[in-house]
């Protein structure tokens, strides 16, 4: 008896990409069990190689092959031809899935955007730059070197070879974009509870940028958009410099993103499949706080999508993100206080972060950014 064309493909899928077995068992459990029996017996039981098999067995085998091939096609990126898939196609699909997963984590923990023209990178050459130094942020070139060095620290050593892969940039960027959109969407669905505003305000098409109720949360006294948006302070009606980012609203934004929507409920418990658990997060990062600040501003802005520059408001979201992260990475006592505040709220008992004993200056922020912040606050607030 000749088995249907595609049997060998089914066997190679199971052997080369075991992950599909998990997926297929959830989708077609009975068929998957029959496939496992067939596959485990093909090499040892001569009955499976004879002409005595029943028509029912052939029908079941065809069903299993079709199901597994469908799963394989679903894993291959859109646009790639999904017929006559080889082991190389399978390996490439797995590689690109890993890269996108890395991009999703980087988006939330480090930066919501990345210049994909930086890739591919050499897995053996890490730029010599201090990631916590002010010099990292001085020029476009130094900022790009900072991103490269950051990626070397972020990507596990055993996966760094992926950085030299031709499609690393496009797949990593795709993961970043997906995570950014997902974060904005998740927070938007809880925005009414987080910001204490009517839920109808956050429906699609509502012109929040024209609503006078939003002006006190977003605009400076001069009526301009500002990176020191009042919503980023505990008391938007009375912003105090050293309290920038030190607000429970941003904690709630990150709660939803990292622990799920149910975490906002007083008795809510986090799901076992939250980002915090999947990514094994144990402490806050400056990138997470910056992402929360940018998403909060975006949701109140009225812009349709969270892009580098708002389509309606022209708010430079990417620039704001860099500013917050820069301050938190290079700041003094103020930055340490903000990080400790978020760690206590989100990772109490698991964070390894130890704030320095330096007292907070009367004027708020650490010495590195004291003059810059004072000047900026005078201009914008």
């Amino acid at each position: 008896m000749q088995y249907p064309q595609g049997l060998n493909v089914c066997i190679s899928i199971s052997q080369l990409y075991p992950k599909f077995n998990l997926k297929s068992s959830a989708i077609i459990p009975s068929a998957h069990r029959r496939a496992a029996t067939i596959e485990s017996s093909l090499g040892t039981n001569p009955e499976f190689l004879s002409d005595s098999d029943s028509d029912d067995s052939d029908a079941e085998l065809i069903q299993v092959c079709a199901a597994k091939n469908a799963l394989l096609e679903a894993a291959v990126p859109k646009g790639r031809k999904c017929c006559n898939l080889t082991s190389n196609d399978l390996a490439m699909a797995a590689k690109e899935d890993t890269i996108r997963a890395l991009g999703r984590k980087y988006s939330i923990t480090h930066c919501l955007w990345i210049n994909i023209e930086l890739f591919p990178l050499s897995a053996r050459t890490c730029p010599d730059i201090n990631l916590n130094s002010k010099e990292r942020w001085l020029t476009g070139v130094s900022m790009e070197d900072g991103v490269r060095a950051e990626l070397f620290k972020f990507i596990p050593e055993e996966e760094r070879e992926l950085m030299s892969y031709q499609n690393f940039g496009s797949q990593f960027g795709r993961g970043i974009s997906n995570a950014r959109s997902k974060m904005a969407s998740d927070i938007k669905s809880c925005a009414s509870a987080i910001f204490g505003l009517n839920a109808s305000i956050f429906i699609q098409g509502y012109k929040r940028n024209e609503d006078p109720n939003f002006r006190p949360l977003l605009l400076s006294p001069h009526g301009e958009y500002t990176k020191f948006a009042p919503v980023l302070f505990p008391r938007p009606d009375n912003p105090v410099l050293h309290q920038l980012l030190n607000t429970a609203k941003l904690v709630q934004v990150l709660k939803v993103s990292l622990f799920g929507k149910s975490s906002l409920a007083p008795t809510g418990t986090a799901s076992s499949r939250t980002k915090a658990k999947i990514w094994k997060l144990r402490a806050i990062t400056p990138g997470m706080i910056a992402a929360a600040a940018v998403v909060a501003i975006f949701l109140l802005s009225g812009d349709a999508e969270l892009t580098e520059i708002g389509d309606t408001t022209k708010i430079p979201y990417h620039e704001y993100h860099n500013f917050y992260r820069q301050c938190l990475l290079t700041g003094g006592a103020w930055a340490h206080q903000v990080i400790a505040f978020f760690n206590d709220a989100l990772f109490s008992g698991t964070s390894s972060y130890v704030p320095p004993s330096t007292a907070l200056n009367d004027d708020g922020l650490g010495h590195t950014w004291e003059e810059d912040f004072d000047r900026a606050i005078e201009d914008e607030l």
Side-chain angles (χ1 to χ4, degrees):
M1 182 195 69
Q2 296 296 321
Y3 284 102
Q5 187 175 5
L7 173 59
N8 291 335
V9 174
C10 290
I11 296 171
S12 65
I13 291 170
S14 173
Q15 293 170 342
L16 293 175
Y17 204 21
K19 184 177 180 182
F20 279 118
N21 288 336
L22 299 176
K23 292 182 178 179
S24 61
S25 64
I27 298 172
I28 47 167
S30 60
H32 177 264
R33 285 193 294 271
R34 289 194 296 271
T37 302
I38 292 170
E39 290 176 6
S40 63
S41 304
L42 277 174
T44 57
N45 191 341
E47 292 181 5
F48 282 95
L49 301 178
S50 70
D51 289 336
S52 62
D53 295 327
S54 68
D55 294 338
D56 289 342
S57 296
D58 288 344
E60 288 182 354
L61 186 58
I62 293 172
Q63 179 186 1
V64 171
C65 289
K68 284 198 170 186
N69 283 333
L71 289 171
L72 177 57
E73 291 177 3
V76 177
K78 292 181 179 180
R80 180 178 296 174
K81 190 176 181 180
C82 295
C83 59
N84 300 322
L85 292 167
T86 66
S87 59
N88 287 337
D89 295 324
L90 189 58
M92 186 172 295
K95 180 186 295 185
E96 292 182 352
D97 185 63
T98 298
I99 295 172
R100 289 192 298 273
L102 289 169
R104 288 192 290 272
K105 182 177 179 180
Y106 181 89
S107 181
I108 306 303
T109 59
H110 289 70
C111 189
L112 295 173
W113 292 273
I114 198 167
N115 178 11
I116 63 172
E117 294 182 2
L118 295 174
F119 306 106
L121 299 175
S122 168
R124 298 176 179 83
T125 306
C126 177
D128 183 16
I129 187 168
N130 182 353
L131 294 178
N132 296 323
S133 68
K134 184 177 178 179
E135 287 71 24
R136 171 189 172 179
W137 304 92
L138 290 180
T139 67
V141 173
S142 64
M143 289 174 67
E144 289 184 352
D145 282 343
V147 172
R148 292 186 179 97
E150 197 170 58
L151 284 167
F152 271 85
K153 289 182 175 291
F154 169 76
I155 296 178
E157 186 175 356
E158 64 272 16
E159 294 176 338
R160 283 184 192 152
E161 287 295 332
L162 292 173
M163 292 193 296
S164 59
Y165 173 55
Q166 182 179 5
N167 292 335
F168 183 92
S170 61
Q171 296 301 321
F172 195 76
R174 181 177 167 188
I176 288 177
S177 178
N178 289 346
R180 183 179 67 244
S181 299
K182 182 70 165 57
M183 181 179 184
S185 175
D186 288 346
I187 308 307
K188 185 177 182 180
S189 67
C190 302
S192 175
I194 292 174
F195 299 107
L197 298 169
N198 193 304
S200 62
I201 292 174
F202 295 97
I203 63 174
Q204 187 174 3
Y206 188 92
K207 297 182 178 180
R208 292 183 289 279
N209 58 307
E210 298 179 4
D211 190 324
N213 294 318
F214 285 84
R215 296 179 66 85
L217 296 175
L218 282 182
L219 305 182
S220 73
H222 307 297
E224 300 172 344
Y225 292 111
T226 169
K227 53 182 170 283
F228 300 106
V231 71
L232 304 183
F233 295 85
R235 289 189 56 189
D237 59 332
N238 183 30
V240 178
L241 182 59
H242 72 264
Q243 295 179 340
L244 176 66
L245 303 178
N246 211 5
T247 169
K249 287 183 174 61
L250 298 187
V251 169
Q252 290 178 314
V253 167
L254 285 177
K255 261 192 172 184
V256 172
S257 180
L258 300 178
F259 299 98
K261 301 173 186 178
S262 62
S263 64
L264 287 185
T267 58
T269 56
S271 157
S272 61
R273 296 294 296 169
T274 64
K275 293 182 180 68
K277 291 185 178 181
I278 293 171
W279 296 339
K280 299 179 180 179
L281 301 178
R282 297 292 181 269
I284 201 71
T285 67
M288 293 181 198
I289 301 172
V294 165
V295 169
I297 293 174
F298 161 71
L299 289 176
L300 298 174
S301 71
D303 285 321
E305 295 183 14
L306 181 52
T307 52
E308 293 192 54
I309 298 177
D311 55 348
T312 300
T313 64
K314 306 305 178 186
I315 294 175
Y317 294 110
H318 191 179
E319 181 182 311
Y320 283 12
H321 191 291
N322 283 343
F323 175 77
Y324 305 135
R325 197 157 70 107
Q326 175 186 4
C327 295
L328 291 167
L329 284 169
T330 63
W334 165 82
H336 294 302
Q337 186 192 60
V338 171
I339 291 172
F341 169 75
F342 278 89
N343 272 329
D344 289 344
L346 297 170
F347 297 99
S348 179
T350 63
S351 172
S352 58
Y353 177 79
V354 179
S357 58
T358 307
L360 188 67
N361 298 330
D362 290 339
D363 49 9
L365 306 172
H367 63 86
T368 305
W369 290 97
E370 181 179 347
E371 294 181 2
D372 291 342
F373 268 44
D374 282 344
R375 189 179 305 112
I377 217 73
E378 288 174 3
D379 291 341
E380 304 221 39
L381 292 181

